[in-house]
Each structure stands twice: as structure tokens, then as C-alpha cells.
Amino acid sequence: MKTMKWLIKREMWENKGMLLWTPIVIAGAVVTLILTGLIFGNLDTIRLYNQPLSVTIEGTARTRIVETMGEMYVTAGMPILMILGLLVFFYCLGALHDERRDRSLLFWKSLPVSDSMTVLSKLVTALVVAPLITLGVAIAVGLLMVLALCGLAAMHGTNLFGALLMTPQFYLTPLRLVALLPVYILWALPTVGWLLMVSSIARSKVFLWAVGTPIITTLLLVWAQKALHFGVDAVWFASHISSRILLGVVPGAWIGFDQPPLSVSPETPGVSVSTIIFEASWSTLGNASVWIGAAAGVAMIAVAIYMRRRREEV
């Protein structure tokens, strides 16, 4: 465990700009834009649950505003969450290729650390460390925004702080977001495994090999299906293979892959949108395709470990 800890620290040291500072910079831009809008914007146009800020809100409307804010405030961090897929994609793409290109692989191989442990440290960094950093930054942005909105409401005669802090959803929503990490790991394994395998094999043009191979294969199957009338289902291949190995690292991609039933109705009292999404996400693990994809991802990671052991030059 101590070796793994130091290997992960090494990954963070070498990729701090990508994995840590990129989410923080984007969070800063999001916070600046929203605060600028709140401070210098036309406050008469800002509405909370169809209620203007310029009046005191009480009763049922106040309760529903607090419930909605307690449940939806993390959506302020969605721009940060959306870049997680790009960060993990490009991190994995260069994880095993860059150390061969700059010859640092020879130094790291001189240390008493196995190839398996090194590749696993990159896997943990991609599937656990990077998502946790991004989630933390996104939740912090959501908290900052909801507090700013409550402060703005208080300046106009409606104090929502106490009611918001008493709402269970205020605490449960970020916990549910973090609890989706195992779902993300399983759905992202095929993509991460594919990218690490390509990164360990390709001598150059890693991006073209990683992205071009599944796309060109899909196009060839479409051509064979249309022109040669081969009995191949190109649409199935595109949706179950190509998209899984290219888009699995996008947060929430499993909703598109598995299409679980989502009866989201924010207007219905008592319905928790975050609960519905949370339960629907976990229900996707009942689909065999996620486990087949995860097994394929593990197999490709094994290939990446083998190639790192065998190949030292680009």
C-alpha cells in the first residue's frame, strides 16, 4: 500500500496541471460568471421557483424553493463534471506512451517497482483520484453558489439559510453523487483499459490509433452492411462497442448506454430527482453488458501491463 501511495503521488506530481488545476480554473471561471451575473445582473429577472427575489416568499412556495435548492445546487458544478471525461481520456492516452517517449521509463524501471503496480497506480489515478478531485471541486462550487443565492435572497427579505440547512437533501445530494463512483468505475473500465492498452502499444499518433481504430472499424462495417449485404449489425457495433470504448469515461454515460427508466418529475411534490437518478444508475449494474465491458477492460489492462514489461522504446 505504501508503494501504491507513492506511485499515485508521482502521477499527481507529473499531471497536477491536468488533474488538479484544470478543474479549479474552470470552477473559478464558473463562479466568476455566476457571481458577476448575480451582482451586476438585473435582479428583477432572477426568480426562485417562479418567485421573484424582490418579494418575501413564505409558505408552500418557500418550502418548495428550499427543497429544490437543496437538491439541485450541485448542478452549478456540472461544467466541472463534464470535463472529467476529457481529463481521464487524455490522461490515460499519454499514461504509458509519454514515459517511453521522454525515456523516463528507463529510470522508473530501475526502481524496485513492478510493472503491474505502476499500471495499477495509473488506473487508480484515472478511475478514483481524478473523479474524486473533480467531484470535490464541483460540490464546492455548488455550495458556494447556493450560499450566494441565499445571501441574495436574504438581502431582499427572504432568509433561506436556516431552512436550507435543515433540508436532508442538502446533505444527501453530494453524498449520492460521491456514491455513484463505483458505477462510474465499472462503466469507464472498457474505455480506460482500451486507452491504456493503446498507450502501451502505439509508437506514435496515439490519439489517432485510439480514436480512429473504432471509428474506422464502424465505418467499414457500415460499408460492408450496405454495399456487400454482409449480415453484420453495424448499429449494434457502434452502440455497444465503439461508443463503450470511447465514451465510457463521460460521467453519466451509462444512462445513454443502458437507458434505465427515469420518471423524473420535479414538479411532483415528494419526488427527489437525485434519488431517481441515483437508483437508476445503480440499477444499470444489473445489465450483463456492464460486467462484460468491465471484464474486457481488465483484459486490456493486462495487455497494457504485458506491453509495458516488454517495450521500452517508442
Side-chain angles (χ1 to χ4, degrees):
M1 287 301 294
K2 191 175 181 180
T3 303
M4 177 62 73
K5 177 183 173 182
W6 281 107
L7 286 173
I8 293 174
K9 283 188 174 181
R10 169 207 163 187
E11 294 302 317
M12 286 303 301
W13 173 63
E14 291 185 342
N15 301 278
K16 183 181 291 185
M18 175 189 291
L19 301 179
L20 178 62
W21 289 113
T22 301
I24 291 176
V25 169
I26 294 178
V30 171
V31 170
T32 302
L33 287 174
I34 296 178
L35 289 181
T36 302
L38 291 177
I39 295 172
F40 299 104
N42 185 0
L43 298 182
D44 293 335
T45 63
I46 299 177
R47 303 178 75 84
L48 289 177
Y49 212 78
N50 295 326
Q51 299 293 326
L53 278 175
S54 57
V55 299
T56 301
I57 306 171
E58 297 294 346
T60 305
R62 175 192 173 92
T63 303
R64 299 187 69 174
I65 287 172
V66 170
E67 291 176 351
T68 304
M69 291 175 65
E71 191 168 342
M72 303 300 292
Y73 72 92
V74 292
T75 57
M78 285 304 293
I80 297 100
L81 291 178
M82 294 308 296
I83 66 159
L84 173 61
L86 288 175
L87 296 181
V88 174
F89 188 95
F90 285 102
Y91 166 74
C92 293
L93 206 58
L96 297 174
H97 179 265
D98 290 349
E99 62 180 7
R100 285 187 289 127
R101 185 183 57 186
D102 60 18
R103 309 286 293 171
S104 63
L105 176 65
L106 299 177
F107 169 75
W108 294 115
K109 273 184 171 286
S110 67
L111 301 178
V113 180
S114 67
D115 295 288
S116 303
M117 188 70 78
T118 302
V119 174
L120 288 178
S121 70
K122 297 176 184 295
L123 183 69
V124 172
T125 303
L127 291 178
V128 179
V129 178
L132 285 179
I133 292 174
T134 308
L135 281 173
V137 174
I139 292 171
V141 169
L143 285 172
L144 187 60
M145 290 300 99
V146 77
L147 292 178
L149 205 55
C150 286
L152 196 62
M155 292 171 60
H156 290 76
T158 302
N159 187 355
L160 301 175
F161 283 108
L164 181 65
L165 295 176
M166 295 291 290
T167 305
Q169 297 300 331
F170 181 74
Y171 306 98
L172 291 176
T173 300
L175 292 178
R176 290 193 184 103
L177 202 58
V178 175
L180 287 178
L181 183 60
V183 180
Y184 177 80
I185 290 173
L186 288 171
W187 280 101
L189 259 177
T191 304
V192 172
W194 166 255
L195 294 173
L196 288 177
M197 185 178 73
V198 174
S199 181
S200 68
I201 295 175
R203 295 183 182 276
S204 63
K205 310 292 189 297
V206 187
F207 179 81
L208 290 180
W209 281 110
V211 177
T213 302
I215 291 178
I216 291 175
T217 303
T218 302
L219 293 176
L220 285 175
L221 289 177
V222 171
W223 174 77
Q225 184 183 24
K226 299 293 183 182
L228 304 178
H229 302 289
F230 280 3
V232 293
D233 191 345
V235 175
W236 181 91
F237 185 86
S239 61
H240 288 80
I241 305 297
S242 298
S243 61
R244 288 289 304 278
I245 63 177
L246 290 179
L247 303 176
V249 293
V250 177
W254 52 84
I255 299 295
F257 294 147
D258 191 70
Q259 297 182 348
L262 287 173
S263 301
V264 180
S265 179
E267 300 297 328
T268 304
V271 173
S272 170
V273 178
S274 63
T275 302
I276 293 173
I277 295 176
F278 176 78
E279 292 177 352
S281 297
W282 273 94
S283 71
T284 62
L285 300 189
N287 192 330
S289 68
V290 63
W291 299 103
I292 295 172
V298 171
M300 289 186 282
I301 291 166
V303 173
I305 294 173
Y306 174 79
M307 292 304 299
R308 188 181 189 274
R309 187 177 300 128
R310 301 275 297 182
R311 181 169 290 180
E312 295 182 353
E313 298 179 351
V314 293

